[in-house]
Amino acid sequence: MRKPRDFDAELKALEDKARELKTRKVQQLGELVIATGADQLSTDELAGALVAIAETKDTAKREAWAKREVMFFESGSKRTAPASQRNLRSAQAQPGSQQSPTGGTGSQ
């Protein structure tokens, strides 16, 4: 006979996994802000720039930002990024993650 499923335990495991993924995403975003030098911006400036980027539908602009990001990290940033920073691109490209138009200051 099959053992009955413990839905509560499965739900808790899924919630824990979701919390862990969100925590990792927040940490990576903070590392990205620091690696690009955007931590020098005020919170208001950074939030405003992120809102503008998120609202941008212009595919050419988004592609240009993505290319700029590649050039930025391949050439080495002005600051030395820790190993977790250098791996942000691969972490962002994982299946199921949203592509983020990162790199540079967001202005083009």
Side-chain angles (χ1 to χ4, degrees), residues 21 24 89-99:
L21 290 171
R24 185 171 4 140
R89 277 190 42 232
S90 63
Q92 290 173 343
Q94 289 177 350
S97 68
Q98 292 181 328
Q99 184 174 351

Side-chain angles (χ1 to χ4, degrees), residues 68-89:
R68 189 170 180 178
E69 180 266 344
V70 170
M71 289 176 16
F72 179 82
F73 283 107
E74 285 181 355
S75 68
S77 64
K78 294 175 188 164
R79 301 174 177 196
T80 303
S84 61
Q85 286 288 331
R86 292 186 292 262
N87 294 327
L88 279 176
R89 277 190 42 232

Side-chain angles (χ1 to χ4, degrees), residues 7-89:
F7 291 110
D8 289 335
E10 290 179 28
L11 181 59
K12 182 172 180 351
L14 288 173
E15 288 171 345
D16 291 345
K17 181 70 172 177
R19 192 176 307 110
E20 178 185 317
L21 290 171
K22 183 176 182 179
T23 299
R24 185 171 4 140
K25 187 175 186 177
V26 168
Q27 179 179 355
Q28 288 175 339
L29 180 59
E31 291 172 350
L32 183 62
V33 168
I34 292 167
T36 60
D39 60 327
Q40 301 301 312
L41 300 172
S42 72
T43 305
D44 293 339
E45 292 170 324
L46 182 57
L50 290 171
V51 167
I53 290 168
E55 291 174 346
T56 299
K57 303 293 185 226
D58 183 345
T59 305
K61 216 177 229 190
R62 294 174 75 98
E63 288 173 3
W65 289 332
K67 287 178 186 175
R68 189 170 180 178
E69 180 266 344
V70 170
M71 289 176 16
F72 179 82
F73 283 107
E74 285 181 355
S75 68
S77 64
K78 294 175 188 164
R79 301 174 177 196
T80 303
S84 61
Q85 286 288 331
R86 292 186 292 262
N87 294 327
L88 279 176
R89 277 190 42 232

